[in-house]
Amino acid sequence: MDLQLSGRVAIVTGASKGIGLAVTRTLLAEGARVVAVSRKSAPELEALAGDLVHVPADLMDPEAPGQIVGRAVAEFGGLDILVNNAGGPPPGVALPRFGFLTPTDEDWRTMFEFNLFSVVRAVRAAVPAMLARGGGSIVNVSSGSARMPAPMNVDYNAAKAGLNTLTKALSEEFAPQGIRVNTVSPGPVRTAWWTESGGAADIIAAQAGTDRDTVITQVAPEMMKLSTGRLVEPQEVADVVALLSSPRSASTTGADLAVDGGFLKQV
């Protein structure tokens, strides 16, 4: 299926690994021109072919989103797609954290800064550029945990719930002006968050008295009641992001699409 993305200009945050890298690769393969945003580049990102510009940026910096959008306009003449993928544990933070009393006020501030306020600023910067092109698509990467809160990662879950609410409000305001806004809510995805040393798999392994590989292949899918019995692959999320970015999804706005292996059970 032709997603009609050829020549369209996209910004993808958190683009150097995991879901962001998969989204960047997919959009390039569909003919889009991509501004890939991350703190630093990676060999996998540099190896991608196509109209790709890497912008090193720290999204905790309030000035960064405006600079990124300015770079997209300068390099490619405008902006059609914004994928707010950067999120998860802020720099220097390891998740999961257990219990409401564990995160401090500073933990809460940092979590909201990275997972919600950075998106607010990115959208604020992107909307005028999209309106100048007659519309566009914004895809916010949220989490199934926003709709299934638990006494683990409480601050993260609350920030992502806020992101879902923000998305609904944005979709209502800007759909008449041609800008669609949707969320994609992954479940646990096989990314560095889980697999790297000191990541979620290691933390859960220490709690469960097992090893990292067993957590990834067995403990986590069972603990999170994944119907598929496995973690989600980044490409599976990227495919849905690409579809929502496409004009083929012209009547989809304000939606929250779960790509979670059956994690979310509610109707």
Side-chain angles (χ1 to χ4, degrees), residues 20-21 30-31 56 135 144 165 174 179 208 229:
L21 180 64
E30 293 291 332
T165 300
F174 291 107
I179 299 177

Side-chain angles (χ1 to χ4, degrees), residues 123-242:
V123 172
R124 186 185 293 135
V127 163
M130 288 185 173
L131 292 176
R133 303 264 278 195
S137 172
I138 298 172
V139 183
N140 296 324
V141 178
S142 185
S143 169
S145 297
R147 295 172 60 191
M148 286 188 66
M152 179 174 70
N153 302 333
V154 194
D155 47 349
Y156 171 77
N157 300 344
K160 289 300 191 182
L163 179 59
N164 288 4
T165 300
L166 171 67
T167 299
K168 285 286 190 181
L170 292 170
S171 70
E172 182 71 14
E173 180 172 356
F174 291 107
Q177 300 172 68
I179 299 177
R180 298 180 297 105
V181 192
N182 296 285
T183 53
V184 173
S185 290
V189 182
R190 190 186 289 266
T191 64
W193 179 353
W194 281 88
T195 60
E196 68 185 1
S197 179
D202 281 349
I203 294 171
I204 293 172
Q207 291 275 332
T210 185
D211 59 85
R212 180 192 307 172
D213 290 342
T214 302
V215 168
I216 291 172
T217 60
Q218 181 179 337
V219 174
E222 291 177 357
M223 177 179 69
M224 303 184 78
K225 298 181 174 61
L226 302 184
S227 304
T228 59
R230 63 172 177 84
L231 270 60
V232 179
E233 295 297 331
Q235 187 61 51
E236 294 169 328
V237 182
D239 290 341
V240 175
V241 171

